[in-house]
Amino acid sequence: MILLLYLASVAIQVMLHTGLFILLRKRETPATTTGMAIPVSVIVCARDEIDNLRELIPLLLAQDYHHKEIVIVNDGSQDGSRAYLEFVRSKYKALKVIHLVNKPRGIPGKKYPLARGIAAASHQILLLTDADCRPISAHWIREMTETFSDPEVQFVLGFSPYKKMHGLLNAFIQYETLQTALLYMGAALAGKPYMAVGRNLAYRKSVFINGNGFKGHESVMGGDDDLFVQAHANGRNTGICMKPAAKIISYPKVSLKSYFKQKKRHLEVGKNYINSVKLLLGIVSFSQIVFWICMVYLLLMDHNYYLICGGFLIRAISLIIVVKYFSFILQEKINPILFIILDFLYVFYYIIIGSSAIFSKVNRWN
């Protein structure tokens, strides 16, 4: 029975990796726009982020994109952000600042600040990021928004890796981020978009207005990205941007405690996913967990080593091929051997964080 479970998990994982590889190979690259650039509003919500704003705002203003405005929503900061933002606003016409003092009850997280920023945006194309993020090039806005030259496109999902640092925790964060991006971009390519990361996400203002904003999940701490995408994105109106110049780098957590807290907040939102998405992600995660648990058990209790190791090698090869190809597209460097080790550690991560998220509730977005 355990052997059958093991072989079934190998089959599911290999089919998943093969399907993702085929989708990535068949992806369509949007044609470069030769006409006038589409006006874009970049929106950033910040609370007590003055140091990050000092770094981010100059990078946004320096973007090689003429038709842009930068909307900063100061969510009741107490660290001097207000004075700094007023000073910068007086120098740059492209910068728009909104100061929030009191938020309405019943809308936790950054949904209300983001909604205020969207309402204040002058342009129809909205590009979202966070204060602790940094565009890696001056062409981020251009690359992320050129797909909107197609009038049917309503969403563009981008990639946002974390800054590379030394240590096992950072290596695991890099692994988990790449794995997550592979799944949500692959799903979008398959015509079933289910999430995005708010650190690098663009959509039309009309989608937000016509869809009544975040109606239906206002009381959820997160979900301003993934739940919003699930509610309004589909295979026809969603594009992805995997161009290296469109990446946004974010600063990772540096301690297990802070990282676990962050991931619990993310998994909290997962409780509100639609059932079909829960089922799909459940199959993917469960087959990965079953694979590793069964393999370890069989190596200790069974003597059919050729079959067990054969299954491991087949699954490892399929995983490395798709991840290497995906990382090649994004120009991200990975160590295949380390990736397999981190894939094993993911089992413990998912069990611990998943169990914790079920019995906890996060009440602060920053």
Side-chain angles (χ1 to χ4, degrees):
M1 181 63 180
I2 301 297
L3 182 59
L4 289 177
L5 275 175
Y6 174 68
L7 295 176
S9 67
V10 170
I12 292 172
Q13 289 278 295
V14 171
M15 286 189 292
L16 170 68
H17 301 153
T18 303
L20 289 170
F21 181 77
I22 292 172
L23 289 168
L24 290 172
R25 292 280 294 179
K26 291 184 176 180
R27 76 191 188 283
E28 294 183 8
T29 303
T32 302
T33 304
T34 56
M36 183 177 295
I38 305 170
V40 175
S41 294
V42 178
I43 302 177
V44 180
C45 299
R47 176 190 291 166
D48 297 329
E49 299 268 17
I50 186 169
D51 291 335
N52 280 322
L53 291 174
R54 288 182 189 276
E55 291 186 25
L56 176 63
I57 290 177
L59 294 175
L60 297 181
L61 292 170
Q63 285 287 300
D64 183 22
Y65 202 86
H66 181 67
H67 299 285
K68 67 178 182 293
E69 72 169 355
I70 313 301
V71 181
I72 307 294
V73 184
N74 174 26
D75 186 16
S77 298
Q78 302 294 322
D79 62 348
S81 293
R82 185 185 187 101
Y84 168 71
L85 290 170
E86 287 301 317
F87 169 75
V88 179
R89 176 165 62 175
S90 68
K91 296 178 60 178
Y92 299 99
K93 293 182 179 180
L95 186 65
K96 182 179 292 186
V97 178
I98 300 168
H99 298 291
L100 301 183
V101 179
N102 296 311
K103 292 194 297 185
R105 294 181 178 180
I107 307 180
K110 68 174 182 179
K111 288 192 177 71
Y112 180 72
L114 182 53
R116 287 289 302 274
I118 291 173
S122 303
H123 306 314
Q124 288 301 306
I125 303 300
L126 311 174
L127 180 55
L128 314 182
T129 192
D130 291 337
D132 64 345
C133 296
R134 308 288 182 267
I136 70 166
S137 80
H139 305 292
W140 169 59
I141 296 179
R142 186 176 303 278
E143 300 287 19
M144 277 295 293
T145 57
E146 69 174 8
T147 308
F148 287 107
S149 58
D150 181 347
E152 289 190 8
V153 173
Q154 304 291 317
F155 289 87
V156 174
L157 318 182
F159 176 56
S160 179
Y162 286 96
K163 183 177 178 62
K164 289 182 172 61
M165 300 177 178
H166 295 295
L168 182 59
L169 175 61
N170 186 263
F172 185 81
I173 290 173
Q174 302 297 332
Y175 156 82
E176 195 268 339
T177 302
L178 192 67
Q179 187 88 313
T180 299
L182 177 60
L183 289 176
Y184 76 73
M185 287 189 167
L189 287 171
K192 302 292 182 181
Y194 70 89
M195 72 161 283
V197 289
R199 305 189 301 274
N200 200 4
L201 169 65
Y203 50 82
R204 296 185 190 270
K205 187 174 181 177
S206 58
V207 172
F208 188 84
I209 301 300
N210 297 335
N212 296 315
F214 301 118
K215 184 178 181 180
H217 52 89
E218 303 99 325
S219 61
V220 181
M221 174 59 62
D224 49 276
D225 41 21
D226 42 5
L227 295 183
F228 185 72
V229 165
Q230 282 185 40
H232 303 291
N234 56 57
R236 297 184 304 277
N237 71 3
T238 304
I240 63 172
C241 183
M242 294 189 286
K243 294 188 176 181
K247 291 188 292 189
I248 280 276
I249 297 291
S250 184
Y251 286 95
K253 301 300 181 182
V254 294
S255 70
L256 275 174
K257 182 179 180 180
S258 59
Y259 177 65
F260 281 3
K261 182 178 178 180
Q262 179 190 51
K263 300 315 294 184
K264 281 197 297 182
R265 186 175 73 243
H266 293 169
L267 290 177
E268 272 274 321
V269 179
K271 299 176 185 178
N272 299 277
Y273 281 11
I274 59 177
N275 290 333
S276 59
V277 173
K278 287 181 181 178
L279 178 62
L280 176 62
L281 295 178
I283 292 173
V284 171
S285 298
F286 186 70
S287 63
Q288 181 178 354
I289 293 171
V290 167
F291 167 79
W292 282 110
I293 292 177
C294 288
M295 191 191 75
V296 171
Y297 176 85
L298 290 170
L299 286 174
L300 294 174
M301 305 299 293
D302 201 305
H303 299 291
N304 200 345
Y305 297 127
Y306 290 110
L307 186 58
I308 298 168
C309 293
F312 168 79
L313 287 175
I314 292 172
R315 193 257 182 185
I317 291 171
S318 69
L319 175 61
I320 289 173
I321 288 174
V322 68
V323 170
K324 284 286 287 184
Y325 184 65
F326 186 52
S327 61
F328 169 77
I329 297 171
L330 296 170
Q331 292 188 10
E332 290 286 306
K333 294 182 179 180
I334 68 162
N335 181 326
I337 302 302
L338 179 60
F339 200 89
I340 295 297
I341 296 172
L342 295 171
D343 190 73
F344 171 69
L345 294 178
Y346 180 84
V347 173
F348 302 96
Y349 153 83
Y350 198 82
I351 292 174
I352 295 171
I353 298 296
S355 301
S356 179
I358 294 174
F359 302 104
S360 64
K361 187 173 182 179
V362 182
N363 296 308
R364 182 179 172 86
W365 71 271
N366 180 27

